[in-house]
Structure formats: structure tokens, C-alpha cells
Amino acid sequence: MVTFTVEDHAGNRQSIEAPDDMGLSLMEILKASEYPVLATCGGMALCATCHVEVLEGKEGLGDATDVELDQLEALPEYYPTSRLACQVRISDELEGAVVKLRGEDN
């Protein structure tokens, strides 16, 4: 299990614990935790509605792929630490990270 923190659109932070041995993405955990993540494309990096900003812990997550960057760079709000939650796998590297929801709030 890994533990990380999610900051919602209102600035509230909550610690989340997720299994790191099931191949889940951050997007899947956010949806299961009932955060307002649209994830319109179902995790294929085509819509950017699962946009998050990694406030702490980005070093261990690796670099975004070209496809992911293409989607992120088309957003009105794009940050140097922006990622698509569907492209971030739940793993030990996420331990202690802090992510802020940036995608569309529904």
C-alpha cells in the first residue's frame, strides 16, 4: 500500500491509501475515492479531464510521455508539474506525494 495526499478544487487535503500491486492508475483511485474526475476517454490520455498538478513528489514519477504532454500543453492551465492522472501508475514512487486536482470540476 502507498499513501499520498490529494488536494481538491476547494483546497481541502485528504490522505489516500491505495494498493500498489494491482496496476491501477491514479485516475482510477481518484474516481474510486469519489473525486470529481471526469476521465472522459477512460484513461487513454486523449481528453485531459484527469489533469492533476504534482505539488510534492514529482521526482519519482518519471517524465510524461509525448502523448501526455500534447494533451497537457493544449490546456488553458498547464503547470511544469502537470500530469494526467490516467498516466500515473500507483507505485512506491507515489508514496508521500501531494497531488492537486486541476481537471474540470463537474
Side-chain angles (χ1 to χ4, degrees):
M1 298 291 276
V2 295
T3 304
F4 55 92
T5 301
V6 177
E7 183 176 319
D8 65 18
H9 296 290
N12 301 312
R13 288 188 176 196
Q14 179 179 346
S15 183
I16 301 288
E17 190 174 70
D20 61 348
D21 60 353
M22 295 177 62
L24 298 172
S25 71
L26 178 57
M27 175 201 74
E28 292 168 312
I29 297 300
L30 292 173
K31 288 185 71 68
S33 300
E34 299 184 356
Y35 282 102
V37 177
L38 293 177
T40 308
C41 72
M44 297 174 57
L46 297 174
C47 69
T49 58
C50 65
H51 176 207
V52 297
E53 181 183 1
V54 182
L55 301 177
E56 296 175 28
K58 179 171 175 24
E59 311 78 36
L61 298 182
D63 294 328
T65 64
D66 288 342
V67 172
E68 183 180 358
L69 287 173
D70 287 345
Q71 286 299 318
L72 289 169
E73 290 170 354
L75 292 171
E77 288 186 314
Y78 168 66
Y79 306 91
T81 57
S82 287
R83 292 296 304 266
L84 296 181
C86 66
Q87 300 302 299
V88 176
R89 293 283 154 215
I90 301 298
S91 66
D92 289 340
E93 285 77 27
L94 201 55
E95 181 68 40
V98 178
V99 297
K100 180 177 178 71
L101 299 181
R102 290 288 185 186
E104 298 175 28
D105 188 6
N106 54 350

